[in-house]
Amino acid sequence: MSVRALYEAAKVDSATAPYDTIHMKVYYPANLDGSMDQINMGLVPPRDDDKPWPVVIFMPGTNVPVESYAWLAKALAEQGIVTVLYSWIKEDMPGFICLSPGIELANLRPDTYGTAPTASALPAIYQALTRINTSGVLAQRLDLTSLVIGGHSAGGSVALLNNNPNWFPWLKGCFTYAAHAAASTQLGFADDSMLTLNPNLPYLLMAGSRDGVIAASSFRYGDAETSSSTGRIARTFTDSIDRHQGDTHFITLAGANHFSVVHPSDSATGRQFLDWDSEGSDDDIRHCIASLTTQFILGELLGDPAARRAFSNTMTNPLIAAHDCK
């Protein structure tokens, strides 16, 4: 199967130039047909499936180049899941210019959390997807009633906090790697606070047993010293998500670290220097992440019985150190 990608841009009306533009890369199942558009412009038509495809919007970790998630986008597109990666260079905090998943900090304080979305990129990306679905290569190929948000690290936290159909009625659910819903004391929350997540949609939380970045970042949440690499992700599952329909999962991957989902890794950006060494095969870990994500989306979120069985069977993989479901 062939996977191709096209580029699009989205303007964020609430942002200030020059930090008001999101650049998107949309991966889709393609069909090489030898046409002149393909030969001349590299425009490859979509695969001729019998129905439109669901869409994933994947939120990157802070200062992690989106090319590092291309392997996952391709794996999802191969299974008929269109996947959007995006870059947004913005000022998340005064004087801190970064590659950002898009965090609306004004809505992430004790007196504002839960009143409005904290994902400032999502509305603009959804508007761009409606344009893509109207004309061009992917016209009428996207199921814009079946969108899933996912993310890594800070991007994963944004996904968790915005998995809310009251704000985004087109959402089906959320998956994350190395992300939690702990509340930062720098934003005014008390030590060791956990944010409440919307319970109306399913979640898949994946964690690495060797996550040194989460362990080293525990001071942000009131810890006096380095803490567990997976504890706050586990507490997100148990304390933050009050959903008990058998479709919400917490999975720990043995030997995986914070950047196991990133390939290739650019050590010049991000906080790779805080991470612990992974153990075992990085290729096997990524394959397991891609399988779990694909099966969760197709099975739990879209109701495919075969994908749901495959998800259950994957729990026998020796890389699965722990699995909780509710």
Side-chain angles (χ1 to χ4, degrees):
M1 180 186 298
S2 177
V3 171
R4 294 288 291 181
L6 56 83
Y7 291 96
E8 182 57 89
K11 185 71 73 174
V12 183
D13 294 335
S14 60
T16 303
Y19 308 121
D20 59 350
T21 303
I22 297 171
H23 297 102
M24 302 162 51
K25 192 172 185 180
V26 183
Y27 291 78
Y28 65 94
N31 178 33
L32 295 168
D33 65 353
S35 65
M36 282 307 299
D37 279 346
Q38 177 183 307
I39 295 169
N40 189 37
M41 300 295 293
L43 298 176
V44 181
R47 193 176 69 203
D48 188 20
D49 288 2
D50 60 356
K51 59 183 179 180
W53 296 303
V55 180
V56 161
I57 300 172
F58 189 83
M59 303 181 179
T62 301
N63 283 333
V64 179
V66 295
E67 292 78 13
S68 297
Y69 304 112
W71 70 272
L72 179 59
K74 292 174 183 176
L76 294 175
E78 285 176 353
Q79 300 302 316
I81 303 169
V82 170
T83 303
V84 179
L85 304 181
Y86 64 92
S87 296
W88 187 7
I89 297 174
K90 65 186 291 284
E91 189 175 29
D92 269 352
M93 295 179 288
F96 180 57
I97 308 300
C98 65
L99 186 62
S100 171
I103 306 172
E104 190 62 52
L105 292 178
N107 296 335
L108 191 52
R109 302 184 185 280
D111 60 337
T112 59
Y113 177 69
T115 63
T118 59
S120 46
L122 279 185
I125 292 174
Y126 184 78
Q127 289 178 9
L129 287 171
T130 60
R131 292 198 306 271
I132 292 170
N133 204 36
T134 300
S135 62
V137 172
L138 292 181
Q140 307 306 311
R141 297 306 305 141
L142 309 181
D143 181 358
L144 296 184
T145 66
S146 296
L147 270 74
V148 179
I149 51 176
H152 166 230
S153 192
S157 293
V158 177
L160 290 171
L161 302 184
N162 291 274
N163 189 36
N164 188 335
N166 298 321
W167 297 334
F168 306 112
W170 31 263
L171 273 180
K172 290 291 187 181
C174 169
F175 70 92
T176 63
Y177 182 80
H180 55 68
S184 172
T185 57
Q186 293 175 302
L187 295 174
F189 290 93
D191 289 356
D192 207 28
S193 297
M194 299 295 297
L195 298 171
T196 299
L197 304 182
N198 187 281
N200 294 326
L201 293 174
Y203 295 80
L204 168 63
L205 283 70
M206 294 176 283
S209 66
R210 298 278 303 162
D211 193 325
V213 176
I214 284 182
S217 302
S218 57
F219 69 92
R220 294 176 171 177
Y221 313 104
D223 291 358
E225 56 187 31
T226 296
S227 65
S228 165
S229 61
T230 61
R232 280 195 167 86
I233 303 177
R235 288 181 58 199
T236 300
F237 177 79
T238 58
D239 300 350
S240 297
I241 305 172
D242 186 18
R243 182 177 177 85
H244 303 272
Q245 298 189 26
D247 56 9
T248 291
H249 303 266
F250 169 50
I251 295 172
T252 302
L253 298 175
N257 65 14
H258 193 79
F259 287 95
S260 286
V261 75
V262 172
H263 178 73
S265 181
D266 181 358
S267 61
T269 61
R271 296 191 296 157
Q272 287 89 334
F273 50 84
L274 293 175
D275 214 357
W276 301 337
D277 292 337
S278 61
E279 297 174 345
S281 167
D282 291 330
D283 287 342
D284 289 347
I285 291 171
R286 285 193 297 274
H287 178 74
C288 189
I289 291 171
S291 296
L292 290 168
T293 302
T294 302
Q295 294 156 4
F296 173 74
I297 293 170
L298 296 179
E300 297 287 25
L301 304 187
L302 301 178
D304 184 326
R308 189 176 285 118
R309 288 192 298 271
F311 185 87
S312 180
N313 292 337
T314 301
M315 296 309 116
T316 64
N317 188 319
L319 285 173
I320 306 297
H323 172 224
D324 290 303
C325 173
K326 63 179 183 180

